[in-house]
Coordinates of all heavy atoms in Angstrom, one line a residue:
M17 N 32.1 -32.3 -15.8 CA 32.0 -31.5 -14.6 C 31.2 -30.2 -14.9 O 30.7 -29.6 -13.9 CB 33.4 -31.2 -14.2 CG 33.4 -30.5 -12.8 SD 34.8 -30.6 -11.9 CE 35.1 -31.7 -10.8
A18 N 31.1 -29.8 -16.1 CA 30.4 -28.6 -16.4 C 28.9 -28.8 -16.1 O 28.2 -27.8 -15.8 CB 30.6 -28.3 -17.9
K19 N 28.4 -30.0 -16.3 CA 26.9 -30.2 -16.0 C 26.6 -29.9 -14.5 O 25.6 -29.4 -14.2 CB 26.6 -31.7 -16.3 CG 26.5 -32.0 -17.8 CD 25.1 -31.5 -18.3 CE 25.0 -31.9 -19.7 NZ 23.8 -31.4 -20.3
K20 N 27.5 -30.4 -13.6 CA 27.2 -30.1 -12.2 C 27.2 -28.7 -11.8 O 26.4 -28.2 -11.1 CB 28.3 -30.9 -11.4 CG 28.0 -30.9 -9.9 CD 29.0 -31.7 -9.1 CE 28.7 -31.7 -7.7 NZ 29.7 -32.5 -6.9
N21 N 28.1 -27.9 -12.4 CA 28.2 -26.5 -12.2 C 27.0 -25.8 -12.7 O 26.5 -24.9 -12.1 CB 29.5 -25.9 -12.8 CG 29.8 -24.5 -12.4 OD1 29.2 -24.1 -11.4 ND2 30.6 -23.8 -13.1
I22 N 26.5 -26.1 -13.9 CA 25.3 -25.5 -14.4 C 24.1 -25.8 -13.6 O 23.2 -24.9 -13.3 CB 25.1 -26.0 -15.9 CG1 26.2 -25.4 -16.8 CG2 23.7 -25.5 -16.4 CD1 26.2 -25.9 -18.2
K23 N 24.0 -27.0 -13.1 CA 22.9 -27.4 -12.2 C 22.9 -26.6 -10.9 O 21.8 -26.2 -10.5 CB 22.9 -28.9 -11.9 CG 21.7 -29.4 -11.3 CD 21.7 -31.0 -11.2 CE 20.4 -31.5 -10.7 NZ 20.4 -33.0 -10.6
G24 N 24.0 -26.4 -10.4 CA 24.1 -25.5 -9.2 C 23.7 -24.1 -9.4 O 23.1 -23.5 -8.6
Q25 N 24.1 -23.6 -10.6 CA 23.7 -22.2 -11.0 C 22.2 -22.1 -11.1 O 21.6 -21.1 -10.7 CB 24.5 -21.8 -12.2 CG 25.9 -21.5 -12.1 CD 26.6 -21.1 -13.4 OE1 26.0 -21.3 -14.4 NE2 27.8 -20.6 -13.3
I26 N 21.6 -23.1 -11.8 CA 20.2 -23.0 -12.0 C 19.4 -23.0 -10.6 O 18.5 -22.3 -10.4 CB 19.7 -24.2 -12.9 CG1 20.2 -24.0 -14.3 CG2 18.2 -24.4 -12.8 CD1 20.0 -25.2 -15.2
N27 N 19.9 -23.9 -9.7 CA 19.3 -23.9 -8.4 C 19.5 -22.6 -7.6 O 18.6 -22.1 -7.0 CB 19.8 -25.1 -7.5 CG 19.3 -26.4 -8.0 OD1 18.3 -26.5 -8.7 ND2 20.1 -27.4 -7.8
F28 N 20.6 -22.0 -7.8 CA 20.9 -20.7 -7.1 C 20.0 -19.6 -7.7 O 19.4 -18.9 -6.9 CB 22.4 -20.3 -7.4 CG 22.7 -18.9 -6.9 CD1 22.8 -18.6 -5.6 CD2 22.8 -17.9 -7.8 CE1 23.1 -17.3 -5.1 CE2 23.1 -16.6 -7.4 CZ 23.2 -16.3 -6.1
F29 N 19.8 -19.6 -9.0 CA 18.9 -18.5 -9.6 C 17.5 -18.8 -9.3 O 16.7 -17.9 -9.1 CB 19.2 -18.4 -11.1 CG 20.5 -17.8 -11.4 CD1 21.4 -18.5 -12.2 CD2 20.7 -16.5 -11.0 CE1 22.6 -17.9 -12.5 CE2 21.9 -15.9 -11.3 CZ 22.9 -16.5 -12.0
R30 N 17.1 -20.0 -9.1 CA 15.7 -20.3 -8.7 C 15.5 -19.9 -7.3 O 14.4 -19.3 -7.0 CB 15.4 -21.8 -8.8 CG 15.2 -22.3 -10.2 CD 14.8 -23.8 -10.2 NE 14.7 -24.3 -11.5 CZ 14.7 -25.5 -11.9 NH1 14.8 -26.5 -11.0 NH2 14.5 -25.9 -13.1
F31 N 16.4 -20.1 -6.4 CA 16.4 -19.7 -5.0 C 16.3 -18.2 -5.0 O 15.5 -17.6 -4.2 CB 17.6 -20.2 -4.3 CG 17.6 -19.8 -2.8 CD1 16.7 -20.3 -1.9 CD2 18.5 -18.9 -2.4 CE1 16.7 -19.9 -0.6 CE2 18.6 -18.5 -1.1 CZ 17.7 -19.0 -0.2
M32 N 17.1 -17.5 -5.7 CA 17.1 -16.0 -5.7 C 15.8 -15.5 -6.3 O 15.3 -14.4 -5.8 CB 18.3 -15.5 -6.5 CG 19.6 -15.8 -5.9 SD 19.7 -15.2 -4.1 CE 19.8 -13.5 -4.4
A33 N 15.2 -16.1 -7.3 CA 13.9 -15.7 -7.8 C 12.8 -15.8 -6.8 O 11.9 -15.0 -6.7 CB 13.6 -16.5 -9.1
V34 N 12.8 -16.9 -6.0 CA 11.8 -17.1 -5.0 C 12.0 -16.0 -3.9 O 11.0 -15.4 -3.5 CB 12.0 -18.5 -4.3 CG1 11.1 -18.6 -3.1 CG2 11.5 -19.6 -5.3
I35 N 13.2 -15.7 -3.5 CA 13.4 -14.6 -2.6 C 12.9 -13.3 -3.1 O 12.3 -12.5 -2.4 CB 14.9 -14.5 -2.2 CG1 15.3 -15.7 -1.3 CG2 15.2 -13.2 -1.4 CD1 16.8 -15.8 -0.9
G36 N 13.2 -13.0 -4.4 CA 12.7 -11.8 -5.0 C 11.2 -11.7 -5.1 O 10.7 -10.6 -4.8
V37 N 10.5 -12.7 -5.4 CA 9.1 -12.7 -5.4 C 8.5 -12.5 -4.0 O 7.6 -11.7 -3.8 CB 8.5 -14.0 -6.0 CG1 7.0 -14.2 -5.7 CG2 8.8 -14.1 -7.4
V38 N 9.1 -13.1 -3.0 CA 8.7 -12.9 -1.6 C 8.9 -11.4 -1.2 O 8.0 -10.8 -0.6 CB 9.4 -13.8 -0.6 CG1 9.2 -13.5 0.8 CG2 9.0 -15.3 -0.9
V39 N 10.0 -10.9 -1.5 CA 10.3 -9.5 -1.2 C 9.3 -8.5 -1.9 O 8.8 -7.6 -1.3 CB 11.8 -9.1 -1.5 CG1 12.0 -7.6 -1.4 CG2 12.7 -9.8 -0.5
I40 N 9.1 -8.8 -3.2 CA 8.1 -7.9 -3.9 C 6.7 -8.0 -3.3 O 6.1 -6.9 -3.1 CB 8.1 -8.3 -5.4 CG1 9.4 -7.9 -6.0 CG2 6.9 -7.7 -6.1 CD1 9.6 -8.4 -7.5
I41 N 6.3 -9.2 -2.9 CA 4.9 -9.3 -2.3 C 4.9 -8.5 -1.0 O 4.0 -7.8 -0.6 CB 4.6 -10.8 -2.1 CG1 4.3 -11.4 -3.4 CG2 3.4 -10.9 -1.1 CD1 4.2 -12.9 -3.4
F42 N 6.0 -8.6 -0.2 CA 6.1 -7.9 1.1 C 6.0 -6.4 0.9 O 5.3 -5.7 1.6 CB 7.4 -8.3 1.9 CG 7.6 -7.6 3.1 CD1 6.8 -7.9 4.3 CD2 8.5 -6.6 3.2 CE1 7.0 -7.2 5.4 CE2 8.7 -5.9 4.4 CZ 8.0 -6.2 5.5
V43 N 6.8 -5.9 -0.1 CA 6.9 -4.5 -0.3 C 5.5 -3.9 -0.8 O 5.0 -2.9 -0.3 CB 8.0 -4.1 -1.3 CG1 7.9 -2.7 -1.8 CG2 9.3 -4.4 -0.7
V44 N 4.8 -4.6 -1.7 CA 3.5 -4.2 -2.2 C 2.5 -4.2 -1.0 O 1.7 -3.3 -0.9 CB 3.1 -5.1 -3.4 CG1 1.6 -4.9 -3.7 CG2 3.9 -4.8 -4.6
N45 N 2.6 -5.2 -0.2 CA 1.6 -5.3 1.0 C 1.9 -4.2 1.9 O 0.9 -3.5 2.4 CB 1.8 -6.7 1.7 CG 0.8 -6.8 2.8 OD1 -0.3 -6.4 2.7 ND2 1.3 -7.4 3.9
E46 N 3.1 -3.9 2.2 CA 3.4 -2.7 3.1 C 3.0 -1.4 2.5 O 2.6 -0.5 3.2 CB 4.9 -2.7 3.5 CG 5.3 -3.9 4.4 CD 4.5 -3.8 5.7 OE1 4.5 -2.7 6.3 OE2 4.0 -4.9 6.1
F47 N 3.1 -1.3 1.2 CA 2.7 0.0 0.5 C 1.2 0.2 0.7 O 0.8 1.3 1.0 CB 3.0 -0.1 -1.0 CG 2.5 1.0 -1.8 CD1 3.2 2.2 -1.8 CD2 1.4 0.9 -2.6 CE1 2.8 3.3 -2.5 CE2 0.9 2.0 -3.3 CZ 1.6 3.2 -3.3
F48 N 0.4 -0.8 0.5 CA -1.0 -0.7 0.7 C -1.5 -0.5 2.2 O -2.5 0.1 2.4 CB -1.8 -1.8 0.1 CG -1.9 -1.7 -1.4 CD1 -1.3 -2.7 -2.2 CD2 -2.5 -0.7 -2.0 CE1 -1.3 -2.6 -3.6 CE2 -2.5 -0.5 -3.4 CZ -2.0 -1.5 -4.2
N49 N -0.6 -1.0 3.1 CA -1.0 -0.8 4.5 C -0.4 0.5 5.1 O -0.6 0.8 6.3 CB -0.4 -2.0 5.3 CG -1.2 -3.2 5.0 OD1 -2.4 -3.2 4.7 ND2 -0.6 -4.4 5.2
A50 N 0.3 1.3 4.3 CA 1.0 2.5 4.8 C 0.0 3.6 5.0 O 0.3 4.6 5.7 CB 2.1 2.9 3.8
A51 N -1.2 3.6 4.3 CA -2.1 4.7 4.4 C -2.7 4.7 5.8 O -3.1 3.6 6.4 CB -3.2 4.6 3.4
P52 N -2.8 5.8 6.5 CA -3.4 5.8 7.9 C -4.9 5.6 7.8 O -5.6 5.8 6.8 CB -3.1 7.3 8.4 CG -3.0 8.1 7.1 CD -2.4 7.2 6.1
G53 N -5.4 5.0 8.9 CA -6.8 4.7 9.0 C -7.6 5.9 9.2 O -7.1 7.0 9.6
L54 N -8.9 5.9 8.8 CA -9.8 7.0 9.0 C -10.2 7.0 10.4 O -10.8 6.0 10.9 CB -11.0 6.9 8.0 CG -10.7 7.0 6.6 CD1 -12.0 6.6 5.8 CD2 -10.3 8.3 6.2
P55 N -10.0 8.1 11.2 CA -10.5 8.1 12.5 C -12.0 8.2 12.6 O -12.6 8.7 11.7 CB -9.8 9.4 13.1 CG -9.6 10.2 11.9 CD -9.3 9.3 10.8
I56 N -12.5 7.6 13.7 CA -14.0 7.7 13.8 C -14.4 9.1 14.2 O -13.9 9.7 15.1 CB -14.4 6.7 14.9 CG1 -14.1 5.2 14.5 CG2 -15.9 6.8 15.2 CD1 -14.4 4.2 15.6
S57 N -15.3 9.6 13.4 CA -15.9 10.9 13.6 C -17.2 10.9 12.9 O -17.6 10.0 12.2 CB -15.0 12.0 13.1 OG -14.9 12.0 11.7
T58 N -18.0 12.0 13.1 CA -19.3 12.1 12.4 C -19.1 12.2 10.9 O -19.9 11.7 10.2 CB -20.0 13.3 12.9 OG1 -19.2 14.5 12.7 CG2 -20.4 13.2 14.4
V59 N -18.0 12.7 10.4 CA -17.8 12.8 9.0 C -17.4 11.5 8.4 O -17.7 11.2 7.3 CB -16.7 13.9 8.7 CG1 -16.3 14.0 7.3 CG2 -17.1 15.2 9.3
H60 N -16.6 10.7 9.2 CA -16.1 9.5 8.6 C -16.9 8.2 8.9 O -16.5 7.1 8.7 CB -14.7 9.2 9.2 CG -13.7 10.2 8.7 ND1 -12.7 10.7 9.5 CD2 -13.5 10.8 7.5 CE1 -11.9 11.6 8.8 NE2 -12.4 11.7 7.6
N61 N -18.2 8.4 9.3 CA -19.1 7.2 9.5 C -19.4 6.7 8.2 O -20.0 7.4 7.3 CB -20.3 7.6 10.3 CG -20.1 7.8 11.8 OD1 -19.1 7.3 12.3 ND2 -20.9 8.5 12.5
G62 N -19.2 5.4 8.0 CA -19.4 4.8 6.7 C -18.4 5.3 5.7 O -17.6 6.1 6.0
P63 N -18.5 4.8 4.5 CA -17.6 5.3 3.5 C -18.0 6.7 3.0 O -19.1 6.9 2.5 CB -17.7 4.3 2.3 CG -18.9 3.5 2.5 CD -19.3 3.6 4.0
P64 N -17.2 7.7 3.3 CA -17.6 9.1 3.0 C -17.5 9.3 1.4 O -16.7 8.7 0.8 CB -16.6 10.0 3.7 CG -15.5 9.1 3.9 CD -16.0 7.7 4.0
P65 N -18.4 10.1 0.9 CA -18.3 10.4 -0.5 C -17.0 11.1 -0.9 O -16.5 11.8 0.0 CB -19.6 11.2 -0.8 CG -20.0 11.8 0.5 CD -19.5 10.8 1.5
T66 N -16.6 10.9 -2.1 CA -15.3 11.5 -2.4 C -15.3 13.0 -2.4 O -14.4 13.7 -2.0 CB -14.9 11.0 -3.9 OG1 -14.9 9.6 -3.9 CG2 -13.5 11.5 -4.3
K67 N -16.5 13.6 -2.7 CA -16.6 15.1 -2.7 C -16.4 15.6 -1.3 O -15.8 16.7 -1.1 CB -17.9 15.5 -3.3 CG -18.0 15.4 -4.8 CD -19.3 15.9 -5.3 CE -19.3 15.7 -6.8 NZ -20.6 16.2 -7.4
A68 N -16.9 14.9 -0.3 CA -16.8 15.3 1.1 C -15.3 15.3 1.5 O -14.8 16.2 2.2 CB -17.6 14.4 2.0
C69 N -14.6 14.2 1.1 CA -13.1 14.1 1.4 C -12.4 15.3 0.8 O -11.6 15.9 1.5 CB -12.6 12.8 1.0 SG -13.3 11.4 1.8
L70 N -12.6 15.5 -0.5 CA -11.9 16.5 -1.2 C -12.2 17.9 -0.7 O -11.4 18.8 -0.6 CB -12.2 16.5 -2.7 CG -11.7 15.2 -3.4 CD1 -12.1 15.2 -4.8 CD2 -10.2 15.1 -3.3
G71 N -13.5 18.1 -0.2 CA -13.9 19.4 0.3 C -13.1 19.8 1.6 O -12.8 21.0 1.7
C72 N -12.7 18.9 2.4 CA -11.9 19.2 3.6 C -10.4 19.1 3.3 O -9.6 19.9 3.8 CB -12.3 18.3 4.7 SG -13.9 18.5 5.3
H73 N -9.9 18.1 2.6 CA -8.5 17.7 2.5 C -7.7 18.4 1.4 O -6.5 18.3 1.4 CB -8.3 16.2 2.5 CG -8.7 15.5 3.7 ND1 -8.0 15.5 4.9 CD2 -9.9 14.8 4.0 CE1 -8.6 14.9 5.8 NE2 -9.7 14.4 5.3
V74 N -8.4 19.0 0.4 CA -7.7 19.7 -0.6 C -7.5 21.2 -0.3 O -6.4 21.7 -0.5 CB -8.4 19.5 -2.0 CG1 -7.8 20.4 -3.0 CG2 -8.4 18.1 -2.4
K75 N -8.5 21.8 0.3 CA -8.3 23.1 0.7 C -7.8 23.1 2.2 O -8.0 22.1 2.9 CB -9.6 24.0 0.6 CG -10.8 23.4 1.3 CD -12.0 24.2 1.0 CE -13.2 23.6 1.8 NZ -14.4 24.3 1.5
E76 N -7.3 24.2 2.7 CA -6.8 24.2 4.0 C -7.9 24.5 5.0 O -8.1 25.6 5.5 CB -5.7 25.2 4.1 CG -4.4 24.9 3.3 CD -3.3 25.9 3.5 OE1 -3.2 26.5 4.5 OE2 -2.5 26.0 2.5
A77 N -8.6 23.4 5.4 CA -9.6 23.5 6.4 C -8.9 23.4 7.8 O -7.8 22.8 7.9 CB -10.7 22.4 6.3
E78 N -9.6 23.9 8.8 CA -9.0 23.9 10.2 C -8.9 22.5 10.7 O -9.9 21.7 10.6 CB -9.8 24.7 11.1 CG -9.2 25.0 12.5 CD -10.1 25.9 13.3 OE1 -10.8 26.7 12.8 OE2 -10.0 25.8 14.5
N79 N -7.8 22.1 11.3 CA -7.5 20.8 11.9 C -7.7 19.6 10.9 O -8.1 18.5 11.3 CB -8.4 20.6 13.1 CG -8.1 21.5 14.2 OD1 -7.0 21.9 14.4 ND2 -9.1 21.9 15.0
T80 N -7.4 19.8 9.7 CA -7.6 18.8 8.6 C -6.2 18.7 7.9 O -5.8 19.7 7.3 CB -8.7 19.1 7.7 OG1 -9.9 19.3 8.4 CG2 -8.9 18.0 6.7
P81 N -5.6 17.5 7.8 CA -4.4 17.4 7.1 C -4.6 17.5 5.6 O -5.6 17.1 5.1 CB -3.9 16.0 7.5 CG -5.1 15.3 7.9 CD -6.0 16.3 8.5
I82 N -3.6 18.1 4.9 CA -3.7 18.2 3.5 C -3.4 16.8 2.8 O -2.6 16.0 3.3 CB -2.6 19.2 2.9 CG1 -2.9 20.6 3.5 CG2 -2.6 19.2 1.4 CD1 -4.2 21.2 3.1
M83 N -4.2 16.5 1.8 CA -4.1 15.2 1.2 C -2.8 15.1 0.4 O -2.6 15.9 -0.6 CB -5.3 14.9 0.3 CG -5.3 13.6 -0.4 SD -6.9 13.3 -1.3 CE -6.9 14.6 -2.4
P84 N -1.8 14.2 0.7 CA -0.5 14.2 0.1 C -0.4 13.4 -1.2 O 0.6 12.9 -1.6 CB 0.4 13.7 1.1 CG -0.5 12.7 1.8 CD -1.8 13.3 1.9
H85 N -1.6 13.2 -1.9 CA -1.6 12.4 -3.1 C -2.7 12.9 -4.0 O -3.5 13.8 -3.7 CB -1.8 10.9 -2.8 CG -3.0 10.6 -2.0 ND1 -4.3 10.5 -2.6 CD2 -3.2 10.3 -0.7 CE1 -5.2 10.3 -1.7 NE2 -4.6 10.1 -0.5
R86 N -2.7 12.4 -5.2 CA -3.8 12.8 -6.2 C -5.1 12.3 -5.7 O -5.2 11.2 -5.1 CB -3.5 12.2 -7.5 CG -2.1 12.7 -8.1 CD -1.8 12.0 -9.3 NE -2.4 12.7 -10.4 CZ -2.4 12.4 -11.7 NH1 -1.8 11.3 -12.0 NH2 -2.9 13.1 -12.6
P87 N -6.2 13.0 -6.0 CA -7.6 12.5 -5.7 C -7.9 11.2 -6.4 O -7.6 11.0 -7.5 CB -8.5 13.6 -6.2 CG -7.6 14.8 -6.3 CD -6.2 14.3 -6.6
M88 N -8.5 10.3 -5.6 CA -8.8 9.0 -6.1 C -10.4 8.9 -6.2 O -11.1 9.7 -5.6 CB -8.3 7.9 -5.2 CG -6.8 8.0 -4.9 SD -5.9 7.7 -6.4 CE -5.3 6.1 -6.1
D89 N -10.9 7.8 -6.8 CA -12.3 7.6 -6.9 C -12.9 7.2 -5.5 O -14.1 7.5 -5.3 CB -12.6 6.5 -7.9 CG -12.3 6.9 -9.3 OD1 -12.3 8.1 -9.6 OD2 -12.1 6.0 -10.1
N90 N -12.2 6.6 -4.7 CA -12.7 6.1 -3.4 C -11.6 6.1 -2.4 O -10.5 5.7 -2.6 CB -13.2 4.6 -3.6 CG -13.9 4.1 -2.4 OD1 -13.9 4.7 -1.3 ND2 -14.5 3.0 -2.6
C91 N -11.9 6.6 -1.2 CA -10.9 6.8 -0.1 C -10.7 5.4 0.6 O -9.7 5.2 1.2 CB -11.3 7.8 0.9 SG -11.5 9.4 0.1
I92 N -11.8 4.6 0.7 CA -11.8 3.4 1.5 C -10.8 2.3 0.9 O -10.4 1.4 1.6 CB -13.2 2.8 1.6 CG1 -14.1 3.9 2.2 CG2 -13.3 1.6 2.4 CD1 -13.7 4.4 3.6
F93 N -10.4 2.5 -0.4 CA -9.5 1.5 -1.0 C -8.2 1.4 -0.2 O -7.7 0.3 0.0 CB -9.3 1.8 -2.5 CG -8.4 0.9 -3.2 CD1 -8.8 -0.4 -3.5 CD2 -7.1 1.2 -3.4 CE1 -8.0 -1.3 -4.1 CE2 -6.2 0.3 -4.1 CZ -6.7 -0.9 -4.4
C94 N -7.7 2.5 0.2 CA -6.4 2.6 0.9 C -6.6 2.8 2.4 O -6.0 2.3 3.2 CB -5.5 3.6 0.4 SG -5.0 3.3 -1.3
H95 N -7.5 3.8 2.7 CA -7.7 4.2 4.1 C -8.9 3.4 4.8 O -10.0 3.7 4.5 CB -8.1 5.7 4.2 CG -7.0 6.6 3.6 ND1 -5.9 7.0 4.3 CD2 -6.9 7.1 2.4 CE1 -5.1 7.7 3.6 NE2 -5.7 7.8 2.4
K96 N -8.5 2.4 5.5 CA -9.5 1.6 6.2 C -10.0 2.3 7.5 O -9.2 3.0 8.1 CB -8.9 0.2 6.6 CG -8.3 -0.5 5.5 CD -9.3 -1.0 4.5 CE -8.7 -1.8 3.4 NZ -9.0 -1.5 2.1
P97 N -11.2 2.2 7.9 CA -11.7 2.9 9.1 C -10.9 2.2 10.3 O -10.8 1.0 10.4 CB -13.2 2.5 9.2 CG -13.6 2.2 7.8 CD -12.3 1.6 7.1
S98 N -10.5 3.1 11.2 CA -9.8 2.6 12.4 C -10.7 2.7 13.6 O -11.7 3.4 13.6 CB -8.5 3.4 12.6 OG -8.8 4.7 13.0
G99 N -10.4 2.0 14.7 CA -11.2 2.0 15.8 C -10.8 3.1 16.8 O -11.3 3.1 18.0
K100 N -10.0 4.1 16.4 CA -9.5 5.1 17.4 C -10.4 6.3 17.2 O -10.8 6.7 16.2 CB -8.1 5.5 17.1 CG -7.1 4.3 17.2 CD -5.8 4.8 16.7 CE -4.8 3.6 16.7 NZ -3.5 3.9 16.2
K101 N -10.6 7.0 18.4 CA -11.3 8.3 18.4 C -10.4 9.4 18.5 O -9.4 9.3 19.1 CB -12.4 8.3 19.5 CG -13.7 7.8 19.1 CD -14.7 8.2 20.0 CE -16.0 7.8 19.4 NZ -17.2 8.2 20.1

């Protein structure tokens, strides 16, 4: 009877592992989609150079939100251009 119980435990842990992998994939996907899109403006046409982003978002420029993370090499990796004006 011990064999049947072990087989049931193995199936349970496989099922829980599959659920865990699905949850991890979902959380990582949502993390990368959490960054707001770049609004369409004259500054954001095309991928802006990193220096231009840092020039506005690190210092307190008027009507520009402060960048809440460390400077990255490229803004487009997380912030996709949005279709909103």
Side-chain angles (χ1 to χ4, degrees):
M17 189 157 262
K19 286 280 188 188
K20 187 175 184 181
N21 191 17
I22 291 174
K23 192 173 187 179
Q25 287 179 345
I26 291 173
N27 288 337
F28 172 76
F29 287 119
R30 283 182 183 165
F31 178 71
M32 293 307 287
V34 168
I35 289 176
V37 169
V38 169
V39 168
I40 289 171
I41 290 171
F42 176 75
V43 168
V44 168
N45 185 37
E46 289 300 312
F47 175 78
F48 283 116
N49 289 334
L54 294 173
I56 295 175
S57 69
T58 56
V59 177
H60 293 142
N61 283 340
T66 305
K67 288 183 181 181
C69 295
L70 295 177
C72 291
H73 292 284
V74 172
K75 60 184 178 184
E76 294 185 27
E78 189 176 335
N79 294 328
T80 305
I82 298 296
M83 185 172 57
H85 57 78
R86 300 175 85 183
M88 307 296 255
D89 292 335
N90 188 350
C91 301
I92 303 300
F93 180 74
C94 296
H95 299 277
K96 307 290 185 229
S98 67
K100 300 175 186 174
K101 270 196 170 188

